[in-house]
């Protein structure tokens, strides 16, 4: 039982209000499912300490299931509120993309995963600088004009991340810029 229950530090990355569930990402980049019994009162970007067990029986993408969640109110949480310089932000983006070089992420996802207290425009501006400096790849995704949001960008360390994946639930057409 000792190796079945672990404690991990993470950040809340997604909250589904209608289902009262949430998800977190650990320092190791692993996903944690937070059911309604432990997710109440949490907000996106909260730093947490979670007691977890394997979730492989229920999901192949979410490695852990939380048994207990503690909100961290110490210097770790306060450090995430500091606004990084443009150079620090670029390093954070590169580090995040280096951790999963064959995956792509929207600026919204990167911002939530890093737990930064800045606007999406700031993150996009620095990610676009990295793209122009040929340090990362970018894909432009466009949708029909009748939708409110008709385009956005996805970022990755490797261009291969934008190739079609047969496990995808749906196919998006993307114009690959880099």
């Amino acid at each position: 039982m000792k190796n079945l229950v672990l404690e991990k530090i993470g950040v809340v990355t997604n909250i589904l209000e209608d289902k009262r569930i949430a998800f977190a990402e650990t320092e190791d980049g692993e996903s944690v499912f937070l059911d309604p019994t432990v997710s109440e009162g949490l907000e996106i970007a909260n730093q947490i300490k979670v007691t977890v067990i394997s979730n492989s029986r229920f999901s192949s993408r979410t490695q852990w299931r939380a048994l207990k969640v503690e909100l961290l109110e110490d210097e770790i949480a306060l450090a995430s509120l500091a606004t990084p310089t443009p150079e620090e932000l670029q390093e954070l983006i590169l580090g995040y993309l280096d951790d999963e070089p064959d995956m792509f992420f929207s600026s919204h996802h990167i911002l939530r995963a890093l737990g930064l207290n800045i606007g999406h425009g700031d993150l996009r501006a620095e990610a676009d600088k990295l793209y122009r400096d040929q340090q990362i790849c970018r894909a432009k995704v466009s949708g029909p004009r009748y939708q409110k949001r008709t385009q956005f960008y996805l970022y990755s360390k490797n261009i291969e991340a934008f190739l079609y994946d047969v496990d995808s639930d749906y196919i998006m057409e993307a114009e690959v810029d880099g």
Side-chain angles (χ1 to χ4, degrees):
M1 182 85 173
K2 177 171 96 175
N3 293 332
L4 298 177
V5 178
L6 303 170
E7 286 191 346
K8 298 198 173 262
I9 302 294
V11 62
V12 177
T13 57
N14 194 3
I15 298 175
L16 302 176
E17 297 289 340
D18 58 327
K19 295 182 180 180
R20 296 183 25 228
I21 61 173
F23 294 89
E25 187 170 314
T26 68
E27 293 175 312
D28 303 327
E30 299 170 315
S31 297
V32 180
F33 172 72
L34 308 166
D35 67 35
T37 61
V38 297
S39 66
E40 188 173 327
L42 293 177
E43 295 180 12
I44 290 179
N46 279 154
Q47 298 285 329
I48 57 174
K49 178 176 157 183
V50 288
T51 304
V52 296
I53 59 171
S54 174
N55 193 40
S56 60
R57 179 176 166 210
F58 299 102
S59 171
S60 62
R61 287 191 265 178
T62 306
Q63 295 89 349
W64 303 105
R65 181 181 188 95
L67 298 174
K68 179 181 173 186
V69 175
E70 294 176 41
L71 190 60
L72 296 178
E73 294 291 342
D74 58 14
E75 56 276 351
I76 295 173
L78 294 175
S80 72
L81 297 177
T83 303
T85 65
E87 295 80 20
E88 291 171 335
L89 184 54
Q90 286 183 15
E91 288 299 318
L92 289 169
I93 294 167
L94 276 174
Y96 186 75
L97 295 177
D98 279 337
D99 288 344
E100 294 285 344
D102 296 323
M103 298 290 293
F104 57 83
F105 305 98
S106 68
S107 59
H108 180 73
H109 178 89
I110 295 169
L111 188 63
R112 287 186 320 182
L114 293 174
L116 298 173
N117 191 26
I118 61 172
H120 292 286
D122 296 330
L123 187 123
R124 278 192 304 268
E126 296 309 317
D128 287 341
K129 286 179 189 175
L130 290 169
Y131 163 71
R132 283 192 300 277
D133 293 341
Q134 299 181 355
Q135 295 186 47
I136 64 173
C137 300
R138 179 180 79 180
K140 178 180 176 182
V141 179
S142 299
R145 298 284 181 224
Y146 62 83
Q147 291 181 339
K148 182 178 178 182
R149 184 173 167 179
T150 60
Q151 71 180 27
F152 61 93
Y153 291 103
L154 298 171
Y155 302 95
S156 178
K157 188 65 178 169
N158 295 330
I159 197 165
E160 289 84 16
F162 300 113
L163 298 177
Y164 175 71
D165 180 7
V166 282
D167 293 333
S168 295
D169 294 336
Y170 57 93
I171 301 170
M172 292 190 294
E173 289 184 29
E175 170 191 320
V176 179
D177 292 335

